[in-house]
Amino acid sequence: MNAVLVPGQGSQTPGMLLPWVGLPGAQDDLRTWSDAAGLDLVQLGSVAGAEEIRDTAIAQPLLTATALLSSRALTSPAGVVCGHSVGELGALALAGVLTEVEAVSLAAERGRLMAKAAAERPTGMVATLGGDDVAAREVATELGLEVATVNVTGQTVYGGPVEALEAFATAAPGGARVRRLETAGAFHTSAMAAAVPGFASLVADLRPREASVPVIANADGSVLTDGRALLDRLVSQLTGPVRFDLCLQAIAMLGPEQVVELAPAGTLTALVKRALPGVPVLALKDPA
């Protein structure tokens, strides 16, 4: 049984679509998805520079399209799927909860709504590496920061006002190394509250199907197949933390023969290697 992972924002790289555009049917799919997203995904995924594709409104549908195209190269079907943040949309398409067009379209609207919310006030994100997690969290809370993502033990992302991020980095709490992330705002925190009503309305209009394979949810690592429950979690996830550490625990309990990360692969593969040593991993970087 393979566990298939779909990467999230921050993993995008210039030219990431190029290895996949020659796959059978890829050009037709990309035209359809581009129409759904209101973007030229081929241009953005082939020749656009790093700064352009860092834009939240572009990165999210582009990542979704890239992951879905790369899934064509899987040599065996997924036994369970899990996405990281916006990667959950690709995971839901792989599981049949959403169509691919619905996933790309929803990713585009999600990106636009989150970008708009981020523009309302200056916020950002920092990652802590190593150190004392408890001590770092206490300082972050005192400064008004929120936990945005827990990837693995010793790697937590916080989000909040820019001035609080600067104070947190200066404090280097608990001996942690603090790295500022290049994001438009504090995703998965209350800073995204303005995006919730619009996104909730979009999700409510969809008619999800039962998942054909189990989906591991970011919120708490639950293994679910109920399509509506999975979609509803997407809404709460805008302002709630990604608990990828719990997702990895769920994967470990399922005992997959291999963990495969779809393109643009590498970020989640590294987390699996750290949290689940001994589990075979594959970062899908090209069709070969």
Side-chain angles (χ1 to χ4, degrees), residues 19-27 69-73 287:
W20 314 102
V21 294
L23 290 175
Q27 293 293 333
L69 268 191
S70 70
S71 72
R72 313 285 204 270

Side-chain angles (χ1 to χ4, degrees), residues 119-173:
E120 291 189 356
R121 58 185 174 122
T123 61
M125 305 176 82
V126 293
T128 59
L129 306 171
D132 185 331
D133 283 342
V134 174
R137 193 165 300 188
E138 287 177 351
V139 173
T141 301
E142 290 172 359
L143 291 171
L145 298 179
E146 301 171 43
V147 174
T149 305
V150 183
N151 282 320
V152 292
T153 301
Q155 189 178 122
T156 300
V157 176
Y158 298 93
V162 171
E163 59 273 15
L165 296 175
E166 293 171 350
F168 183 74
T170 301

Side-chain angles (χ1 to χ4, degrees), residues 42-266:
V42 175
Q43 186 273 335
L44 291 167
S46 301
V47 299
E51 188 63 32
E52 186 173 5
I53 65 173
R54 188 179 294 124
D55 183 338
T56 301
I58 291 172
Q60 295 198 19
L62 184 57
L63 283 163
T64 304
T66 303
L68 291 176
L69 268 191
S70 70
S71 72
R72 313 285 204 270
L74 291 173
T75 56
S76 58
V80 62
V81 296
C82 179
H84 190 288
S85 188
V86 71
E88 287 199 294
L89 293 173
L92 293 184
L94 292 176
V97 174
L98 298 175
T99 66
E100 292 179 337
V101 172
E102 286 172 335
V104 174
S105 177
L106 194 57
E109 293 300 331
R110 181 183 189 269
R112 292 182 187 110
L113 288 165
M114 291 176 70
K116 184 177 179 181
E120 291 189 356
R121 58 185 174 122
T123 61
M125 305 176 82
V126 293
T128 59
L129 306 171
D132 185 331
D133 283 342
V134 174
R137 193 165 300 188
E138 287 177 351
V139 173
T141 301
E142 290 172 359
L143 291 171
L145 298 179
E146 301 171 43
V147 174
T149 305
V150 183
N151 282 320
V152 292
T153 301
Q155 189 178 122
T156 300
V157 176
Y158 298 93
V162 171
E163 59 273 15
L165 296 175
E166 293 171 350
F168 183 74
T170 301
R177 289 179 291 126
V178 181
R179 179 169 61 90
R180 183 71 179 267
L181 301 181
E182 294 293 332
T183 63
F187 303 146
H188 301 290
T189 72
S190 59
M192 292 293 107
V196 171
F199 191 65
S201 177
L202 293 170
V203 167
D205 288 339
L206 294 171
R207 295 296 175 263
R209 289 153 288 279
E210 189 81 359
S212 59
V213 296
V215 180
I216 302 175
N218 277 180
D220 54 11
S222 294
V223 182
L224 304 171
T225 58
D226 183 286
R228 177 50 63 185
L230 285 162
L231 279 188
D232 288 344
R233 283 166 177 259
L234 294 180
V235 178
S236 59
Q237 199 68 11
L238 288 181
T239 55
V242 171
R243 291 300 306 269
F244 198 68
D245 59 329
L246 300 181
C247 295
L248 290 170
Q249 289 178 24
I251 289 172
M253 292 183 66
L254 291 169
E257 297 172 6
Q258 181 177 235
V259 175
V260 181
E261 182 184 2
L262 299 180

